[in-house]
Amino acid sequence: MAATAKKPRRLRRWLLWTTAVIVVATVALALSLPFLLTHIPIPTLEFDLSPYIKGKTAELVASRKATANVRIERDSAEGFRIHAKGMLLDWPYSASAHIRFGFVRADGSLVLMLDGTDWKAYVDFGVRSARDWHFTASVPETHIDQDDALLAPIVSKAMPPAVSNLVFTGRFSLNAGGDCTPRRPVPAWTARGTLADVDVNLDVGGKPSRIDGLKVRFGADGIADHRDIAPLFPRANAVEFAGFTLSNVFASVRATEKSYLVTEAGAKCCGGELKLYSLFLDPKSLNLGATIFIDGVDAGEALSRVSAFHGDASGRLHGKLPFFLKDGKTLRLRDAHLFSTPGEIGKMRIVDARPILENLEVAGVPEADRTNLSKVLADLDYDVLKVELKRGKEGEESALELKIEGSATRGNTTVPVNLDVTFHGDFDQLIDTGLKIRRKTR
């Protein structure tokens, strides 16, 4: 019996000593861990970012990896200073972080810099568990231009072939934050950025274009796998393209992951105003359709931008111009109309009508109608000017109705004009021919 009683006592003693040794070893390891971390060599770390970079974005970079050569230093009784250098996609970077550890938490701050650039990001974070963390991040206002080491390679790959001689300047900033909490155990985040004072000069199809004073705020919000893109409200002091200058340009844009909806856009142009509503754009197919509303545009100023117009004009024009662009190449007009201000006298003096007549000939307008029109347009005072395009149904020709009331002068003779004619023809072909001619002459 005595021998039997000694066995449990020896077992308890052994378990007690074993437990004490494990506790002492654990404490010793914990106390020596800061020393070990600063002396153990850390191999180069490599992370595959391809799951997060897909589609068109993936085509803008050559590498889809991030690497890090890490060095850890003791910083304080509770913290470490961590230094890292490596490649983030195609760009070399340097980073420095200060991390403090508690019993069940860690928090710290990080500075990330793209080497050879002005780009910096500042991050503050705190972690208690995989479902209890938070962060804030910011990119302070940074000057950008076409020679920027970060943007230059991206822009060169993203620009379409028709765009050349791109020069731009501006300012960029970004703020972001996110968290995950025990009450809401899924990550949620938000990001807001600003582009300001952006000036752009470029050639499109060989013709100079520019944007002055562009500013826009952009952003997105997400929770778990769901993401919402914040509405965009771009503004620009001036936009110039195809010989036209728009001022006080604005737009309201709603974006999804696959498409854009311009709910409203407008600008001052040629002494009047242009408005556009409900333009839907699918970037993948490049299909879009909308209606441009024209109000009080100066006829002379507008027509002077048309290469086929040689002469002078006055008066103000109003109307609407519905259009549809297919595959980013084929332009189609729907039922449209343009008319002069009722009760207001306008003038039109066309010294060379041949380009207009040649285009009408392409559309199939008879020679007699073209000749009468050229005589009227040579010296015309009008109080009614109306142009209306009516689309033909499938298989039918479209109709272009022209109504002019006023007087025409030839030499010393002035005669009243009451011209109401309808031209029939393939006006889609006319537009396509015009676009091709413009492309060839650029």
Side-chain angles (χ1 to χ4, degrees), residues 38-51:
T38 58
H39 286 79
I40 295 175
I42 301 175
T44 300
L45 305 176
E46 185 173 291
F47 306 91
D48 183 14
L49 303 180
S50 56

Side-chain angles (χ1 to χ4, degrees), residues 67-139:
T67 62
N69 295 299
V70 179
R71 176 169 53 88
I72 302 177
E73 298 176 350
R74 192 77 175 135
D75 190 36
S76 66
E78 295 182 338
F80 297 90
R81 179 71 64 177
I82 301 176
H83 303 276
K85 292 183 72 69
M87 294 293 295
L88 181 59
L89 302 176
D90 296 338
W91 298 276
Y93 75 90
S94 301
S96 177
H98 175 62
I99 302 178
R100 298 170 297 278
F101 292 97
F103 184 67
V104 291
R105 54 97 183 155
D107 57 72
S109 58
L110 166 72
V111 180
L112 173 68
M113 298 167 285
L114 295 185
D115 297 342
T117 76
D118 294 331
W119 290 94
K120 294 182 180 180
Y122 298 88
V123 182
D124 292 308
F125 59 89
V127 180
R128 290 184 177 273
S129 69
R131 294 189 173 185
D132 189 1
W133 51 263
H134 68 272
F135 80 91
T136 60
S138 66
V139 176

Side-chain angles (χ1 to χ4, degrees), residues 4 152 225 236 249 256 274:
T4 304
D225 295 330
V249 182
T256 68
L274 306 180

Side-chain angles (χ1 to χ4, degrees), residues 127-164:
V127 180
R128 290 184 177 273
S129 69
R131 294 189 173 185
D132 189 1
W133 51 263
H134 68 272
F135 80 91
T136 60
S138 66
V139 176
E141 190 171 84
T142 302
H143 173 80
I144 60 173
D145 58 39
Q146 71 283 347
D147 298 321
D148 185 275
L150 171 63
L151 299 179
I154 296 177
V155 171
S156 65
K157 294 176 182 177
M159 282 297 99
V163 176
S164 60

Side-chain angles (χ1 to χ4, degrees), residues 61 64 75 83 86 147 195 290 340 363 394 402 425:
V61 293
R64 301 175 196 176
D75 190 36
H83 303 276
D147 298 321
L195 277 171
S340 61
E394 188 173 349
L402 175 63

Side-chain angles (χ1 to χ4, degrees), residues 250 264-267 273-277 291-295:
F250 72 91
E264 182 182 6
E273 189 173 26
L274 306 180
K275 285 286 188 69
L276 179 149
Y277 302 93
T291 298
I292 298 176
F293 293 88
I294 303 167
D295 186 24

Side-chain angles (χ1 to χ4, degrees), residues 163-423:
V163 176
S164 60
N165 298 327
L166 175 65
V167 178
F168 65 89
T169 62
R171 295 181 289 114
F172 173 90
S173 62
L174 179 70
N175 290 282
D179 61 15
C180 183
T181 66
R183 281 188 164 185
R184 192 202 63 241
V186 293
W189 56 270
T190 183
R192 293 292 184 272
T194 301
L195 277 171
D197 298 332
V198 178
D199 296 329
V200 182
N201 287 275
L202 70 161
D203 291 343
V204 180
K207 294 291 185 179
S209 301
R210 66 181 177 89
I211 302 173
D212 292 342
L214 172 67
K215 47 187 173 293
V216 60
R217 286 183 57 84
F218 57 90
D221 303 282
I223 182 169
D225 295 330
H226 179 75
R227 181 179 66 178
D228 293 314
I229 300 175
L232 303 174
F233 302 98
R235 300 287 187 272
N237 296 334
V239 176
E240 182 178 335
F241 68 97
F244 285 89
T245 299
L246 308 179
S247 60
N248 299 327
V249 182
F250 72 91
S252 175
V253 185
R254 300 293 188 271
T256 68
E257 293 185 359
K258 296 182 178 180
S259 61
Y260 296 91
L261 172 64
V262 180
T263 57
E264 182 182 6
K268 302 291 186 181
C269 179
C270 299
E273 189 173 26
L274 306 180
K275 285 286 188 69
L276 179 149
Y277 302 93
S278 300
L279 183 150
F280 179 83
L281 171 62
D282 182 348
K284 187 174 181 179
S285 64
L286 289 180
N287 292 336
L288 63 87
T291 298
I292 298 176
F293 293 88
I294 303 167
D295 186 24
V297 168
D298 183 270
E301 192 173 347
L303 291 173
S304 67
R305 267 77 172 176
V306 179
S307 60
F309 182 82
H310 301 290
D312 300 308
S314 67
R316 296 198 170 272
L317 303 176
H318 314 264
K320 66 176 185 178
L321 184 66
F323 68 93
F324 179 77
L325 184 66
K326 183 178 181 181
D327 300 326
K329 298 177 181 179
T330 305
L331 180 66
R332 291 290 179 260
L333 296 180
R334 294 171 173 157
D335 289 357
H337 66 265
L338 197 64
F339 59 91
S340 61
T341 302
E344 187 176 292
I345 300 297
K347 298 180 181 294
M348 191 170 296
R349 309 284 188 267
I350 297 181
V351 296
D352 183 2
R354 285 177 300 175
I356 299 175
L357 301 180
E358 289 171 358
N359 283 334
L360 292 175
E361 183 179 6
V362 170
V365 176
E367 182 178 0
D369 290 339
R370 300 198 308 270
T371 301
N372 289 335
L373 184 60
S374 67
K375 294 177 180 178
V376 169
L377 296 179
D379 192 349
L380 171 69
D381 293 336
Y382 66 87
D383 50 30
V384 174
L385 173 62
K386 183 177 181 180
V387 182
E388 187 171 5
L389 174 64
K390 294 183 178 180
R391 299 286 308 181
K393 297 180 180 179
E394 188 173 349
E396 298 181 356
E397 290 184 331
S398 297
L400 182 68
E401 298 179 1
L402 175 63
K403 181 177 181 63
I404 300 175
E405 294 181 4
S407 61
T409 301
R410 191 169 187 181
N412 296 322
T413 304
T414 299
V415 296
V417 172
N418 191 343
L419 183 65
D420 194 349
V421 296
T422 301
F423 305 119

